[in-house]
């Protein structure tokens, strides 16, 4: 799915976007808390689906995560990146 490095990069992008947001600190904290809860629920559903062999669901989640990362890069005004291949 999404690597730990990609998660760290996504968090950095979100922080960059957050720093430019006009929302109050309380609203930002509330958004982080809500997103964390939804992320845990999604991770649990994905793992459950994978356990029962629903690879299509996992593939769809993976594509959704990749699209979210691309949207974060776009919102942070960064150029799209191409993963490096070792072959």
């Amino acid at each position: 799915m999404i690597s730990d490095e990609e998660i760290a990069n996504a968090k950095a992008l979100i922080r960059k976007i957050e720093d430019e947001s006009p929302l109050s600190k309380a609203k930002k904290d509330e958004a982080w808390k809500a997103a964390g809860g939804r992320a845990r629920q999604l991770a649990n559903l994905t793992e459950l689906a994978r356990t029962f062999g629903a690879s299509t669901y996992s593939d769809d989640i993976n594509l959704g995560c990749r699209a979210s990362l691309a949207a974060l890069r776009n919102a942070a005004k960064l150029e799209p990146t191409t993963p490096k291949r070792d072959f």
Side-chain angles (χ1 to χ4, degrees), residues 31-57:
W32 275 103
K33 183 178 178 181
R38 286 192 291 273
R40 281 187 294 285
Q41 290 172 345
L42 182 57
N44 291 340
L45 283 174
T46 302
E47 188 58 37
L48 183 61
R50 187 179 313 133
T51 299
F52 292 118
S55 63
T56 301
Y57 180 79

Side-chain angles (χ1 to χ4, degrees), residues 12-87:
L13 290 172
I14 291 169
R15 292 283 185 202
K16 181 181 185 306
I17 295 165
E18 178 185 17
D19 289 344
E20 297 171 2
S21 171
L23 293 175
S24 69
K25 181 174 178 355
K27 288 286 185 185
K28 290 176 184 178
D29 290 344
E30 184 179 314
W32 275 103
K33 183 178 178 181
R38 286 192 291 273
R40 281 187 294 285
Q41 290 172 345
L42 182 57
N44 291 340
L45 283 174
T46 302
E47 188 58 37
L48 183 61
R50 187 179 313 133
T51 299
F52 292 118
S55 63
T56 301
Y57 180 79
S58 295
D59 291 344
D60 291 344
I61 294 298
N62 189 21
L63 289 173
C65 290
R66 299 246 171 248
S68 294
L69 290 172
L72 284 173
R73 284 190 295 274
N74 187 36
K77 299 174 181 71
L78 297 179
E79 294 295 319
T81 59
T82 303
K84 293 182 181 179
R85 305 280 184 204
D86 290 338
F87 54 91

